[in-house]
Amino acid sequence: MNINGVSVAKAAVKCSIKPEHFLLVHDDLDKALGKLAMKQGGSARGHNGVRSCVECLQTDVMPRLRVGIGRPSGKTSVDRHVLGRFSQEEQKVLSGVLEQSVDILLSRLTDKEDVQSPLLPPGGRPALQTGKQRVCSISPAKDTTCQI
C-alpha cells in the first residue's frame, strides 16, 4: 500500500485519466474512528500511500476521502494499529462508516458540476522533489483499452 502510486500512475497513463479525476480513499489517524472528511488536494500529511500517489502522479490535486481510524491507545505502535484488525466494538461502527463513505463518493461522482469542471485545490502543485526518491517509472501501456 505504501507504493500504490505506481499502480495509480499506470492506470492514469493507460486510461488517460487526469490526476484531479482520481478519488483517493484512505485511513486517517488524526480523525476518530467513524469520522469522515473530504479533502481537496494538498499535502499527504504523513500518509505513505497518499505520498506515493502524489510523487508518481507528480501533483497533489487529487481529492481524497479521509476515513478516521483514530490513534492507537497505550503502547500499541502505529504500524500495528493501522494493520491490525478492528475490535468487535469498532466493527459495529464500520457498517455506518462504509454506508456514509459510499454515499459521499457516489454524490461526488454524480455531481454534474464536479463532472463538468472538477474542482482544483487552490495552490495545487507538482509533487515536491525530496532527497528520498521513490521508483515511479511508468511506461505507456501497449493495450490502450481501459476497463474499469
Side-chain angles (χ1 to χ4, degrees):
M1 292 310 298
N2 289 343
I3 58 169
N4 62 340
V6 174
S7 298
V8 171
K10 283 182 181 181
V13 169
K14 181 176 180 176
C15 301
S16 301
I17 302 170
K18 295 178 182 178
E20 60 268 22
H21 292 140
F22 278 95
L23 258 169
L24 302 181
V25 179
H26 65 89
D27 56 353
D28 191 330
L29 286 165
D30 294 327
K31 296 210 160 302
L33 179 68
K35 298 295 180 186
L36 300 168
M38 282 299 299
K39 179 178 182 189
Q40 188 63 50
S43 165
R45 300 182 59 174
H47 193 286
N48 292 328
V50 174
R51 181 181 298 122
S52 176
C53 288
V54 168
E55 288 175 354
C56 291
L57 291 171
Q58 300 177 349
T59 184
D60 66 355
V61 298
M62 297 76 65
R64 301 127 203 218
L65 176 60
R66 299 164 49 203
V67 181
I69 60 168
R71 291 233 169 239
S73 59
K75 295 182 180 182
T76 306
S77 71
V78 169
D79 288 349
R80 185 175 178 136
H81 177 69
V82 169
L83 299 174
R85 295 192 179 276
F86 289 103
S87 70
Q88 286 185 349
E89 188 176 300
E90 292 169 330
Q91 287 178 20
K92 292 175 186 175
V93 177
L94 289 181
S95 65
V97 169
L98 292 174
E99 229 174 90
Q100 278 187 295
S101 297
V102 168
D103 289 345
I104 289 169
L105 294 171
L106 287 175
S107 172
R108 177 79 183 212
L109 291 171
T110 58
D111 183 357
K112 287 182 173 71
E113 191 173 303
D114 276 352
V115 171
Q116 290 173 358
S117 62
L119 297 173
L120 295 178
R125 59 189 182 275
L128 296 174
Q129 298 300 320
T130 61
K132 190 176 185 180
Q133 292 295 316
R134 297 186 196 269
V135 177
C136 291
S137 64
I138 296 125
S139 54
K142 292 176 186 172
D143 177 13
T144 57
T145 61
C146 183
Q147 296 180 2
I148 299 177

